Amino acid sequence: KKLGFMRDDIQPYYLNSSWPRIFSSPPGAPDLKKLWPGKNGVVDGFLEANVISNMQAHQAFKANLIYPPGDPLGFWTSDTCSQKNDLSCKSGKFIRVIFDEPVQGEIKVAVKQARRGHENDFIKQGSLKSSNLVSCQEPQKLKELTQPEETWKGTMHGTRCLEVTLDRPQKEWIAIREIEVEHMGRTELLTSKAVDKALDKPHASPGFLQPRRHAEPASYAVQHALEAAALGFLAGSAAWLAFWQLSKSGLGQITNSLGCFGPWSLTFILIMDLALVSLIDSS
C-alpha cells in the first residue's frame, strides 16, 4: 500500500544552513551522554556514576560500558604498557568509577573480566582502590586483582571513587565485562513493612536508588475485598427489594413466572457476602 503524504521540509532543516530561517531559536547541542537505566525505565539498585579511563579502547568497547553492569560489549583494550617506550604508562593505567553521591554502608564490589574466546584477557597484577575524593587522590587499596573475577566486601564511609589499576605491564589485552557496586542487603527479601519503611524514609540508604513497590501490602487487599463485599451486599439488597416490590405491584405475573428462583438466588448472594465479610474480619 502506498504511503500517504509525509512532510520532508522540517526534518532536515538544521542540516542545511543555506535554507531560510524558520525557527526562532537555534538548534540545541546534542546530548550524547549515556542514559542511566533508572531514568530510562529500568529498575535496578546500582549507584549512579560516571566511568573514565586513560586506557585506549578497542573499537566500540568503551570504558563507560562496564558500569552499570549489563552491557554486552564491556571494555576491551590493548593499552597495557607492553611497549617499553610508552610514555603514557608513567602516570599509570586506570579505570575509575566516580559516583554522583558518597557511598555509605556495607558494599559489595565485583570486577568481572575476560571474554568468551579470550579467557586470558584480564589484569594479571592490579589493584582495586577507593577514595573519598572525586579526583581519586589519596586512594586506599581494597584488594589485589589477579583473577578474571574478583569480589570485595566491606564498609564504605563516603566513598566517591573506585579505581582499578594496572600495576605491572603485560602483553595480554584487558577485557573488563562489568563492575558491580551494590549494597549487600539489596537482594534480601523484604516484607511489606520493610518496603513501606524504605519508601517512607528515603535517607535510610544514602545515595542508593530506592526500591519500587512491586506488590501491594496485605492490608490493601483486605480493604479491597471488604469494599467488594459491601458493594455486592448493597446490590443484592436493592435487587431483592425490587423483586419484592414487583410482586406487590401489578407486575406480579413476572415474579410468578420466575417462581422461587429469584428470591432464593438473591438471598444466597446476600448470605455469601455476609459470610465473606465475617471471614475477612476474623482473619
Side-chain angles (χ1 to χ4, degrees):
K1 183 179 179 179
K2 186 178 180 180
L3 295 176
F5 172 75
M6 299 179 65
R7 295 191 62 177
D8 58 358
D9 55 339
I10 301 299
Q11 183 177 3
Y13 171 74
Y14 283 130
L15 303 179
N16 192 339
S17 59
S18 64
W19 289 11
R21 183 173 180 178
I22 60 175
F23 296 107
S24 61
S25 60
D31 185 6
L32 303 179
K33 182 180 179 182
K34 181 180 178 182
L35 290 177
W36 186 258
K39 299 176 181 177
N40 200 27
V42 179
V43 181
D44 57 48
F46 296 100
L47 286 161
E48 296 191 29
N50 295 316
V51 181
I52 61 174
S53 177
N54 63 352
M55 307 172 74
Q56 297 296 325
H58 172 63
Q59 297 180 357
F61 300 88
K62 307 296 184 181
N64 66 321
L65 300 180
I66 66 175
Y67 187 87
D71 194 286
L73 291 180
F75 178 53
W76 203 8
T77 179
S78 61
D79 191 4
T80 59
C81 300
S82 58
Q83 302 294 331
K84 294 182 179 180
N85 57 351
D86 191 349
L87 300 180
S88 65
C89 294
K90 291 185 177 180
S91 58
K93 297 295 183 179
F94 62 80
I95 301 173
R96 293 173 179 172
V97 180
I98 303 176
F99 301 104
D100 293 356
E101 300 291 339
V103 183
Q104 308 279 357
E106 299 295 321
I107 307 298
K108 182 182 75 173
V109 180
V111 181
K112 300 181 179 181
Q113 304 181 81
R115 305 176 61 86
R116 179 178 297 179
H118 300 273
E119 288 77 9
N120 204 35
D121 289 2
F122 63 92
I123 297 176
K124 302 301 186 297
Q125 186 169 341
S127 300
L128 175 64
K129 304 176 182 179
S130 68
S131 172
N132 289 354
L133 303 176
V134 176
S135 61
C136 289
Q137 295 179 351
E138 302 177 4
Q140 177 184 359
K141 188 174 182 178
L142 302 179
K143 185 179 182 62
E144 291 185 356
L145 301 178
T146 58
Q147 300 297 325
E149 295 192 7
E150 299 275 9
T151 301
W152 174 87
K153 297 180 181 180
T155 305
M156 290 186 175
H157 304 281
T159 298
R160 294 299 303 275
C161 174
L162 273 180
E163 184 178 50
V164 174
T165 61
L166 176 65
D167 296 343
R168 177 179 293 181
Q170 62 183 55
K171 294 182 180 180
E172 297 83 4
W173 287 29
I174 296 175
I176 301 180
R177 303 195 311 274
E178 59 187 15
I179 294 180
E180 295 181 357
V181 184
E182 56 182 324
H183 200 280
M184 285 193 290
R186 185 176 69 90
T187 57
E188 293 179 358
L189 295 176
L190 298 177
T191 62
S192 59
K193 293 183 178 180
V195 173
D196 291 338
K197 183 178 180 181
L199 293 172
D200 294 337
K201 297 182 179 180
H203 59 275
S205 299
F208 278 84
L209 302 177
Q210 297 302 315
R212 294 185 183 180
R213 190 191 305 272
H214 294 280
E216 292 184 339
S219 57
Y220 288 98
V222 173
Q223 180 181 352
H224 293 166
L226 286 173
E227 293 175 355
L231 181 61
F233 181 80
L234 293 177
S237 300
W240 206 97
L241 290 176
F243 195 92
W244 181 63
Q245 289 294 332
L246 285 175
S247 63
K248 295 179 60 178
S249 63
L251 301 177
Q253 63 274 14
I254 299 178
T255 58
N256 293 333
S257 62
L258 293 176
C260 297
F261 174 76
W264 278 112
S265 61
L266 295 177
T267 304
F268 176 77
I269 293 175
L270 293 177
I271 293 175
M272 291 301 295
D273 286 332
L274 292 175
L276 178 61
V277 172
S278 62
L279 179 64
I280 294 174
D281 290 338
S282 62
S283 60

